[in-house]
Amino acid sequence: VQLVESGGGLVQSGGSLRLSCAASGNTFSIVSMGWYRQFPGKRRELVADITGTGSNPNYAGSVKGRFTISRDNADSPMYLQMNSLKPEDTAVYYCNAETYSDYQGATAYWGQGTQVTVSS
């Protein structure tokens, strides 16, 4: 599975951005997808995730009510709509896909990361 992210950039505090993640390859084996972010010198942390078919969204407490994760179906890109952005949301955001197959077991795939910078 290959993941390509887009949509990061610079925005003022209170503004919005939408991140996109397009998956290709053995996408039929994707069981869940999510967005993670990494602050300098910190471990990558979960922002939000969703099932492979786009149901059951789950959010970190720090973004609940401001961010929305979505995926229309198993063949669609995944999105992260980020509203009311704060300077503390500044980080590199990564797309993640978790796959499962009887042959390979569970495997995690990552995108290249996209920088989100929120100015105060």
Side-chain angles (χ1 to χ4, degrees), residues 53-75:
T53 54
S55 59
N56 298 331
N58 173 56
Y59 299 94
S62 58
V63 307
K64 195 172 293 185
R66 300 188 297 124
F67 292 9
T68 302
I69 189 171
S70 64
R71 191 183 190 210
D72 287 342
N73 55 60
D75 296 320

mmCIF file of all heavy atoms in Angstrom, residues 53-75:
data_model
loop_
_atom_site.group_PDB
_atom_site.id
_atom_site.type_symbol
_atom_site.label_atom_id
_atom_site.label_comp_id
_atom_site.label_asym_id
_atom_site.label_seq_id
_atom_site.Cartn_x
_atom_site.Cartn_y
_atom_site.Cartn_z
ATOM 1 N N THR A 53 -13.772 1.291 5.723
ATOM 2 C CA THR A 53 -14.952 1.652 4.951
ATOM 3 C C THR A 53 -15.500 3.026 5.322
ATOM 4 O O THR A 53 -16.541 3.437 4.836
ATOM 5 C CB THR A 53 -16.060 0.601 5.146
ATOM 6 O OG1 THR A 53 -16.297 0.443 6.542
ATOM 7 C CG2 THR A 53 -15.646 -0.738 4.542
ATOM 8 N N GLY A 54 -14.804 3.732 6.220
ATOM 9 C CA GLY A 54 -15.189 5.098 6.521
ATOM 10 C C GLY A 54 -16.180 5.265 7.657
ATOM 11 O O GLY A 54 -16.860 6.298 7.735
ATOM 12 N N SER A 55 -16.224 4.322 8.569
ATOM 13 C CA SER A 55 -17.157 4.438 9.694
ATOM 14 C C SER A 55 -16.386 4.502 11.019
ATOM 15 O O SER A 55 -15.172 4.326 11.064
ATOM 16 C CB SER A 55 -18.131 3.266 9.685
ATOM 17 O OG SER A 55 -17.452 2.035 9.783
ATOM 18 N N ASN A 56 -17.149 4.755 12.069
ATOM 19 C CA ASN A 56 -16.611 4.767 13.440
ATOM 20 C C ASN A 56 -15.401 5.679 13.623
ATOM 21 O O ASN A 56 -14.333 5.226 14.040
ATOM 22 C CB ASN A 56 -16.258 3.354 13.882
ATOM 23 C CG ASN A 56 -17.464 2.437 13.923
ATOM 24 O OD1 ASN A 56 -18.586 2.879 14.148
ATOM 25 N ND2 ASN A 56 -17.246 1.166 13.672
ATOM 26 N N PRO A 57 -15.540 6.985 13.350
ATOM 27 C CA PRO A 57 -14.414 7.890 13.585
ATOM 28 C C PRO A 57 -14.069 7.997 15.063
ATOM 29 O O PRO A 57 -14.944 7.915 15.926
ATOM 30 C CB PRO A 57 -14.919 9.225 13.034
ATOM 31 C CG PRO A 57 -16.406 9.131 13.134
ATOM 32 C CD PRO A 57 -16.743 7.692 12.904
ATOM 33 N N ASN A 58 -12.801 8.181 15.308
ATOM 34 C CA ASN A 58 -12.293 8.284 16.672
ATOM 35 C C ASN A 58 -11.301 9.443 16.712
ATOM 36 O O ASN A 58 -10.499 9.591 15.794
ATOM 37 C CB ASN A 58 -11.600 6.972 17.049
ATOM 38 C CG ASN A 58 -10.905 7.035 18.378
ATOM 39 O OD1 ASN A 58 -11.509 7.345 19.389
ATOM 40 N ND2 ASN A 58 -9.618 6.736 18.384
ATOM 41 N N TYR A 59 -11.377 10.294 17.772
ATOM 42 C CA TYR A 59 -10.564 11.497 17.823
ATOM 43 C C TYR A 59 -9.780 11.606 19.127
ATOM 44 O O TYR A 59 -10.266 11.202 20.183
ATOM 45 C CB TYR A 59 -11.448 12.747 17.690
ATOM 46 C CG TYR A 59 -12.208 12.824 16.401
ATOM 47 C CD1 TYR A 59 -13.507 12.342 16.301
ATOM 48 C CD2 TYR A 59 -11.622 13.382 15.263
ATOM 49 C CE1 TYR A 59 -14.210 12.403 15.102
ATOM 50 C CE2 TYR A 59 -12.313 13.456 14.059
ATOM 51 C CZ TYR A 59 -13.600 12.964 13.989
ATOM 52 O OH TYR A 59 -14.291 13.030 12.804
ATOM 53 N N ALA A 60 -8.619 12.211 19.038
ATOM 54 C CA ALA A 60 -7.904 12.603 20.240
ATOM 55 C C ALA A 60 -8.681 13.737 20.908
ATOM 56 O O ALA A 60 -9.317 14.552 20.233
ATOM 57 C CB ALA A 60 -6.486 13.077 19.885
ATOM 58 N N GLY A 61 -8.599 13.795 22.220
ATOM 59 C CA GLY A 61 -9.350 14.800 22.942
ATOM 60 C C GLY A 61 -8.995 16.231 22.540
ATOM 61 O O GLY A 61 -9.857 17.117 22.541
ATOM 62 N N SER A 62 -7.754 16.447 22.176
ATOM 63 C CA SER A 62 -7.300 17.800 21.850
ATOM 64 C C SER A 62 -7.877 18.344 20.543
ATOM 65 O O SER A 62 -7.825 19.554 20.296
ATOM 66 C CB SER A 62 -5.774 17.826 21.774
ATOM 67 O OG SER A 62 -5.315 16.912 20.802
ATOM 68 N N VAL A 63 -8.423 17.469 19.703
ATOM 69 C CA VAL A 63 -8.948 17.918 18.411
ATOM 70 C C VAL A 63 -10.447 17.680 18.270
ATOM 71 O O VAL A 63 -11.050 18.127 17.290
ATOM 72 C CB VAL A 63 -8.207 17.244 17.227
ATOM 73 C CG1 VAL A 63 -6.699 17.435 17.359
ATOM 74 C CG2 VAL A 63 -8.564 15.773 17.104
ATOM 75 N N LYS A 64 -11.039 16.999 19.220
ATOM 76 C CA LYS A 64 -12.464 16.675 19.135
ATOM 77 C C LYS A 64 -13.282 17.953 19.048
ATOM 78 O O LYS A 64 -13.068 18.899 19.803
ATOM 79 C CB LYS A 64 -12.874 15.842 20.341
ATOM 80 C CG LYS A 64 -14.202 15.143 20.200
ATOM 81 C CD LYS A 64 -14.442 14.180 21.361
ATOM 82 C CE LYS A 64 -13.481 13.016 21.359
ATOM 83 N NZ LYS A 64 -13.793 12.026 22.425
ATOM 84 N N GLY A 65 -14.192 17.983 18.094
ATOM 85 C CA GLY A 65 -15.026 19.154 17.886
ATOM 86 C C GLY A 65 -14.430 20.165 16.916
ATOM 87 O O GLY A 65 -15.134 21.076 16.458
ATOM 88 N N ARG A 66 -13.147 20.012 16.587
ATOM 89 C CA ARG A 66 -12.503 20.931 15.637
ATOM 90 C C ARG A 66 -12.094 20.220 14.347
ATOM 91 O O ARG A 66 -12.126 20.820 13.278
ATOM 92 C CB ARG A 66 -11.258 21.555 16.277
ATOM 93 C CG ARG A 66 -11.523 22.363 17.532
ATOM 94 C CD ARG A 66 -10.272 23.104 17.984
ATOM 95 N NE ARG A 66 -9.178 22.196 18.352
ATOM 96 C CZ ARG A 66 -7.967 22.236 17.810
ATOM 97 N NH1 ARG A 66 -7.671 23.122 16.885
ATOM 98 N NH2 ARG A 66 -7.020 21.375 18.220
ATOM 99 N N PHE A 67 -11.704 18.962 14.453
ATOM 100 C CA PHE A 67 -11.246 18.193 13.299
ATOM 101 C C PHE A 67 -12.296 17.143 12.933
ATOM 102 O O PHE A 67 -12.969 16.604 13.808
ATOM 103 C CB PHE A 67 -9.935 17.479 13.595
ATOM 104 C CG PHE A 67 -8.730 18.365 13.776
ATOM 105 C CD1 PHE A 67 -8.842 19.748 13.856
ATOM 106 C CD2 PHE A 67 -7.472 17.799 13.859
ATOM 107 C CE1 PHE A 67 -7.730 20.553 14.024
ATOM 108 C CE2 PHE A 67 -6.339 18.576 14.025
ATOM 109 C CZ PHE A 67 -6.474 19.969 14.111
ATOM 110 N N THR A 68 -12.373 16.851 11.643
ATOM 111 C CA THR A 68 -13.273 15.804 11.166
ATOM 112 C C THR A 68 -12.539 14.907 10.190
ATOM 113 O O THR A 68 -11.987 15.392 9.188
ATOM 114 C CB THR A 68 -14.502 16.395 10.461
ATOM 115 O OG1 THR A 68 -15.195 17.269 11.355
ATOM 116 C CG2 THR A 68 -15.452 15.292 10.009
ATOM 117 N N ILE A 69 -12.523 13.612 10.481
ATOM 118 C CA ILE A 69 -11.922 12.629 9.593
ATOM 119 C C ILE A 69 -13.032 12.002 8.765
ATOM 120 O O ILE A 69 -14.144 11.789 9.252
ATOM 121 C CB ILE A 69 -11.148 11.556 10.397
ATOM 122 C CG1 ILE A 69 -10.342 10.652 9.461
ATOM 123 C CG2 ILE A 69 -12.077 10.750 11.297
ATOM 124 C CD1 ILE A 69 -9.395 9.709 10.201
ATOM 125 N N SER A 70 -12.741 11.728 7.499
ATOM 126 C CA SER A 70 -13.776 11.147 6.658
ATOM 127 C C SER A 70 -13.171 10.321 5.543
ATOM 128 O O SER A 70 -12.024 10.542 5.132
ATOM 129 C CB SER A 70 -14.679 12.235 6.071
ATOM 130 O OG SER A 70 -13.945 13.078 5.208
ATOM 131 N N ARG A 71 -13.969 9.377 5.077
ATOM 132 C CA ARG A 71 -13.612 8.565 3.915
ATOM 133 C C ARG A 71 -14.929 8.011 3.413
ATOM 134 O O ARG A 71 -15.638 7.336 4.148
ATOM 135 C CB ARG A 71 -12.652 7.447 4.296
ATOM 136 C CG ARG A 71 -12.040 6.734 3.091
ATOM 137 C CD ARG A 71 -11.163 5.594 3.516
ATOM 138 N NE ARG A 71 -10.397 5.075 2.376
ATOM 139 C CZ ARG A 71 -10.005 3.827 2.258
ATOM 140 N NH1 ARG A 71 -10.282 2.949 3.215
ATOM 141 N NH2 ARG A 71 -9.309 3.443 1.202
ATOM 142 N N ASP A 72 -15.282 8.298 2.176
ATOM 143 C CA ASP A 72 -16.599 7.924 1.665
ATOM 144 C C ASP A 72 -16.759 6.409 1.549
ATOM 145 O O ASP A 72 -17.817 5.856 1.869
ATOM 146 C CB ASP A 72 -16.840 8.573 0.306
ATOM 147 C CG ASP A 72 -17.090 10.069 0.421
ATOM 148 O OD1 ASP A 72 -17.413 10.518 1.545
ATOM 149 O OD2 ASP A 72 -16.968 10.774 -0.590
ATOM 150 N N ASN A 73 -15.739 5.739 1.034
ATOM 151 C CA ASN A 73 -15.784 4.285 0.880
ATOM 152 C C ASN A 73 -14.363 3.771 0.760
ATOM 153 O O ASN A 73 -13.402 4.541 0.818
ATOM 154 C CB ASN A 73 -16.626 3.883 -0.334
ATOM 155 C CG ASN A 73 -16.139 4.545 -1.609
ATOM 156 O OD1 ASN A 73 -15.005 4.349 -2.019
ATOM 157 N ND2 ASN A 73 -17.012 5.334 -2.228
ATOM 158 N N ALA A 74 -14.236 2.477 0.577
ATOM 159 C CA ALA A 74 -12.923 1.835 0.573
ATOM 160 C C ALA A 74 -12.053 2.260 -0.613
ATOM 161 O O ALA A 74 -10.851 2.025 -0.601
ATOM 162 C CB ALA A 74 -13.100 0.321 0.566
ATOM 163 N N ASP A 75 -12.632 2.887 -1.620
ATOM 164 C CA ASP A 75 -11.859 3.318 -2.791
ATOM 165 C C ASP A 75 -11.598 4.819 -2.799
ATOM 166 O O ASP A 75 -10.999 5.343 -3.744
ATOM 167 C CB ASP A 75 -12.602 2.934 -4.078
ATOM 168 C CG ASP A 75 -12.721 1.436 -4.233
ATOM 169 O OD1 ASP A 75 -11.743 0.728 -3.925
ATOM 170 O OD2 ASP A 75 -13.798 0.961 -4.648
#
